[in-house]
Amino acid sequence: MSEVILVTGASAGFGEAIARLFVSKGYRVIGAARRQDKLRDLAHELGERFYPLQMDVSDKDSVDKALALLPKDWSKISLLVNNAGLALGLDKAYEADFKDWETMIMTNVMGLSYLTRKLLPQMVAAKEGYIINIGSTAGSYPYPGGNVYGATKAFVKQFSLNLRADLAGSHVRVSTIEPGLCGGTEFSKVRFKGDADRAKQVYEGVSSLQPEDIANAVLWLFQQPKHVNVNRLELMPVSQSFGPWHLAED
C-alpha cells in the first residue's frame, strides 16, 4: 500500500492542487474539507486513491468524528498537510469585525494545532512522519489590514519551529511553506466576503504564484531524503518584492 497523505482544505485552491498531484504520483490522499459536495466530485474524478473526509478543523468534535471514521488501512498518516486556513477582511484593527478575528484564530491557529496534536502521537510511535504547515509571507512581513491574519501565520511559523525542537530524535519532520501572492484560489474572494470584483483586482497586471506551485513545493519537501528537514520554504512570484518603510506625517 502506498503512503497516506492527509490534506486539509482539500476542496479548492492549494489543497485541491496538492491532492491532485499526490494522487497522480501514486500516493493515497485523504482530502479533508467542510464541503462534502466538492469532495465527492473530486473523489469521482480521482478514483480509489482519494478518500473524501468531511471535516471542519475549527470544530474539535468534527475533527474527532472524522478521524474516527477512517478505515484502518487509511489511518496511518505519513504526511499531514495543514492547509485549511483563511483571511477575512482587510480593515484596520480599530475598524475590523472581531468575529472575523475569532474565525481566523479558530481555523488558522486552533484548528491546525488540534489536528496536529491528534496525529503526532502515532507519528512519534512509528518513528516517522511529516507535518507540512501552510503559512504565509504575512507571518513575516506586516502590511496594513493584515493584523490578525498575519499574526495567525506568525504563529504557524513559530509553532512549526517549536515542534522541531520537541520532536528532536523522533525522526518526524516539520516544515512550513510560506507563499506570497498566489492567484487561482478562493483566498481573496473569501477575504472580501464574496466580492469577486474586488478579489480580481488583487491579481490584475501581475503573474502571481498558482496552486500548482505550492503543490509542487509540498511534493518536493516530502520526497527529500528522510534525513533532510527544510524548516521554512518561502515562495514569492518574481513580480512581488519588498517596499520601502512607510513614513506617516506627524
Side-chain angles (χ1 to χ4, degrees):
M1 299 293 287
S2 62
E3 293 173 291
V4 176
I5 318 303
L6 172 56
V7 184
T8 64
S11 61
F14 295 171
E16 180 182 347
I18 293 165
R20 289 181 181 280
L21 181 60
F22 272 81
V23 167
S24 75
K25 298 298 182 181
Y27 297 99
R28 292 185 294 151
V29 175
I30 302 167
R34 292 175 300 173
R35 295 179 292 185
Q36 196 168 18
D37 57 332
K38 297 275 189 180
L39 293 177
R40 277 198 299 261
D41 291 344
L42 204 52
H44 180 74
E45 181 181 346
L46 297 180
E48 62 183 11
R49 289 188 176 275
F50 182 82
Y51 188 94
L53 187 67
Q54 188 173 28
M55 177 193 290
D56 179 354
V57 298
S58 67
D59 181 337
K60 290 190 289 185
D61 288 340
S62 174
V63 172
D64 291 343
K65 289 175 182 176
L67 293 178
L69 288 173
L70 286 175
K72 186 176 181 180
D73 61 339
W74 286 84
S75 62
K76 184 179 183 296
I77 311 299
S78 297
L79 168 63
L80 166 63
V81 184
N82 277 312
N83 165 70
L86 77 168
L88 290 172
L90 200 59
D91 297 318
K92 295 189 185 303
Y94 52 85
E95 299 172 333
D97 185 339
F98 191 76
K99 290 182 179 179
D100 289 345
W101 288 9
E102 288 181 308
T103 299
M104 288 186 281
I105 291 168
M106 289 304 299
T107 304
N108 302 358
V109 174
M110 297 301 293
L112 179 148
S113 302
Y114 187 67
L115 183 56
T116 299
R117 177 63 182 84
K118 293 290 290 185
L119 295 185
L120 269 179
Q122 67 166 253
M123 292 183 177
V124 172
K127 294 188 177 181
E128 64 177 358
Y130 204 158
I131 297 168
I132 297 179
N133 294 322
I134 304 299
S136 170
T137 55
S140 298
Y141 312 111
Y143 59 85
N147 41 68
V148 167
Y149 173 68
T152 65
K153 292 304 185 178
F155 170 87
V156 171
K157 173 174 63 177
Q158 193 62 29
F159 179 59
S160 301
L161 293 173
N162 279 288
L163 284 178
R164 288 272 294 124
D166 285 346
L167 293 167
S170 70
H171 304 288
V172 177
R173 296 184 285 171
V174 183
S175 301
T176 56
I177 296 178
E178 302 170 10
L181 184 68
C182 190
T185 76
E186 298 176 347
F187 178 84
S188 290
K189 190 174 180 181
V190 171
R191 166 169 254 174
F192 298 130
K193 313 291 180 67
D195 188 337
D197 290 337
R198 189 178 180 192
K200 184 179 178 181
Q201 291 172 10
V202 174
Y203 310 100
E204 286 181 348
V206 296
S207 297
S208 61
L209 297 174
Q210 295 297 306
E212 292 75 18
D213 300 319
I214 309 308
N216 287 333
V218 173
L219 181 66
W220 178 79
L221 288 174
F222 186 61
Q223 292 185 336
Q224 292 306 296
K226 291 190 176 182
H227 69 279
V228 174
N229 194 98
V230 178
N231 295 330
R232 295 172 56 204
L233 183 60
E234 182 181 283
L235 305 173
M236 285 183 178
V238 174
S239 56
Q240 185 179 27
S241 187
F242 309 99
W245 290 106
H246 174 71
L247 298 175
E249 294 183 2
D250 292 334

